[in-house]
């Protein structure tokens, strides 16, 4: 894909708990099938997640996360050379072991380094691209609707603070994810989306993940399975407003 064009990140959930069943791939064979399907559709980045972050999901320990991820990464290293992967994790230990298995990849961290103090230093030492996502609270509370005076200004302040932490840890190449669906009301999500272009002031790539998100389908009386057309309209608008990466199921 030519430089400067919006990249598409395809989701592969390596667990049985993710809310959107078609994105799940719990075995190596299922991973191959899902990866081949996404690549055939022109996806640029394959995003691997071994821990579900849907509302109400249960956090699993690092050992379980790695048990789900390791066999898939072994297949990726052997059979998908040249494919760009991202790994959805908030644990530095997973980043280290994944790097030893497949080499360079993108770290996609919903916690922005807040849940593991080693995450940013490890990412900086390895020189990996890093996706930081806006959220509030812990793994268990991050789906609550937090109160904001101005959601866009709050998100901008969050990333001003993150930029300081990233620089201190040596993370030079980072992507801004506004965190649609996390720690925000439906109204906050919509307001943030409508004012997405204001985040371009950071001069960082912006990732937009609105695929199958509740704030899109629930107010319209749809479901995660029937909202595909309206989601595509959101994604096209996000691209027009300057999104560098679209994350989708």
């Amino acid at each position: 894909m030519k430089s400067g064009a919006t990249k598409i990140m395809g989701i592969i959930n390596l667990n049985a708990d993710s809310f959107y069943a078609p994105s799940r791939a719990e075995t190596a064979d299922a991973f191959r099938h899902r990866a081949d399907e996404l690549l055939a559709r022109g996806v640029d980045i394959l995003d691997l997640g071994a821990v579900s972050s849907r509302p109400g999901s249960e956090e699993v320990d690092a050992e379980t996360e790695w048990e789900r991820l390791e066999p898939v990464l072994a297949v990726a290293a052997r059979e998908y050379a040249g494919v760009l992967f991202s790994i959805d994790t908030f644990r530095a230990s997973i980043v280290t072991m994944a790097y030893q298995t497949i080499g360079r990849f993108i770290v996609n961290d919903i916690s922005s380094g807040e849940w593991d103090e080693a995450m940013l230093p490890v990412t900086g030492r390895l020189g990996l691209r890093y996706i930081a996502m806006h959220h509030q609270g812990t793994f268990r509370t991050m789906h609550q609707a937090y109160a904001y005076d101005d959601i866009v200004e709050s998100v901008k302040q969050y990333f001003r603070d993150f930029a300081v932490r990233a620089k201190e840890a040596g993370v030079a190449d980072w992507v801004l994810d506004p965190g649609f669906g996390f720690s925000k009301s439906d109204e906050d999500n919509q307001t943030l989306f409508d004012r997405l272009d204001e985040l371009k002031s950071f001069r960082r790539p912006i990732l937009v993940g609105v695929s199958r998100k509740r704030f899109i389908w629930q107010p319209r009386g749809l479901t995660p399975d029937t909202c595909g057309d309206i989601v595509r309209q959101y994604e096209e608008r996000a691209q027009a407003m300057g999104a560098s990466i679209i994350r989708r199921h």
Side-chain angles (χ1 to χ4, degrees):
M1 198 168 187
K2 65 181 180 179
S3 177
T6 302
K7 304 295 191 291
I8 303 300
M9 174 185 285
I11 300 169
I12 305 180
N13 286 310
L14 309 177
N15 63 83
D17 193 36
S18 294
F19 77 96
Y20 189 62
S23 69
R24 299 174 194 158
E26 299 173 59
T27 67
D29 284 342
F31 161 72
R32 290 185 183 94
H33 178 79
R34 175 70 173 164
D36 291 345
E37 174 191 41
L38 291 173
L39 293 171
R41 283 160 43 186
V43 162
D44 304 286
I45 306 165
L46 298 181
D47 187 50
L48 308 179
V51 178
S52 172
S53 58
R54 68 166 178 80
S57 60
E58 291 295 324
E59 183 177 349
V60 301
D61 58 29
E63 290 75 16
T64 300
E65 183 178 3
W66 183 243
E67 285 173 3
R68 296 171 178 173
L69 193 57
E70 182 181 23
V72 168
L73 291 181
V75 172
R78 291 195 310 268
E79 302 176 22
Y80 291 86
V83 174
L84 179 58
F85 287 91
S86 59
I87 297 178
D88 191 342
T89 186
F90 53 83
R91 293 183 169 110
S93 61
I94 298 295
V95 170
T96 299
M97 292 186 289
Y99 183 81
Q100 293 168 349
T101 305
I102 63 169
R104 300 188 65 78
F105 61 94
I106 301 170
V107 180
N108 187 7
D109 181 6
I110 61 174
S111 84
S112 296
E114 294 177 8
W115 300 345
D116 185 340
E117 64 182 11
M119 174 60 94
L120 293 181
V122 165
T123 302
R125 177 173 56 81
L126 296 177
L128 300 178
R129 173 170 261 204
Y130 184 86
I131 299 171
M133 190 190 81
H134 174 269
H135 74 288
Q136 298 291 329
T138 66
F139 187 90
R140 293 185 180 277
T141 66
M142 64 181 173
H143 289 288
Q144 296 175 6
Y146 287 74
Y148 305 93
D149 291 331
D150 182 323
I151 180 61
V152 178
E153 287 305 315
S154 294
V155 169
K156 289 170 75 173
Q157 186 58 52
Y158 182 91
F159 284 110
R160 290 185 196 107
D161 295 340
F162 174 80
V164 173
R165 294 194 292 122
K167 184 176 182 179
E168 290 173 347
V171 178
D173 184 7
W174 60 272
V175 177
L176 187 158
D177 179 353
F180 292 107
F182 291 84
S183 312
K184 303 166 186 72
S185 68
D186 288 350
E187 181 180 1
D188 287 334
N189 281 303
Q190 188 62 53
T191 298
L192 182 59
F193 183 86
D194 290 340
R195 295 169 59 187
L196 182 68
D197 59 352
E198 295 183 38
L199 300 180
K200 291 192 292 185
S201 62
F202 284 90
R203 300 185 182 277
R204 292 283 173 176
I206 297 173
L207 181 149
V208 171
V210 293
S211 179
R212 318 288 172 177
K213 290 296 175 75
R214 185 183 302 271
F215 84 96
I216 293 178
W217 58 260
Q218 190 172 55
R220 294 173 171 83
L222 301 173
T223 70
D225 295 310
T226 62
C227 66
D229 289 343
I230 189 70
V231 165
R232 292 297 179 267
Q233 293 175 27
Y234 270 78
E235 291 177 344
E236 289 171 3
R237 188 176 167 202
Q239 185 171 347
M241 287 191 288
S244 299
I245 303 172
I246 300 294
R247 184 176 184 267
R248 69 167 58 139
H249 293 90

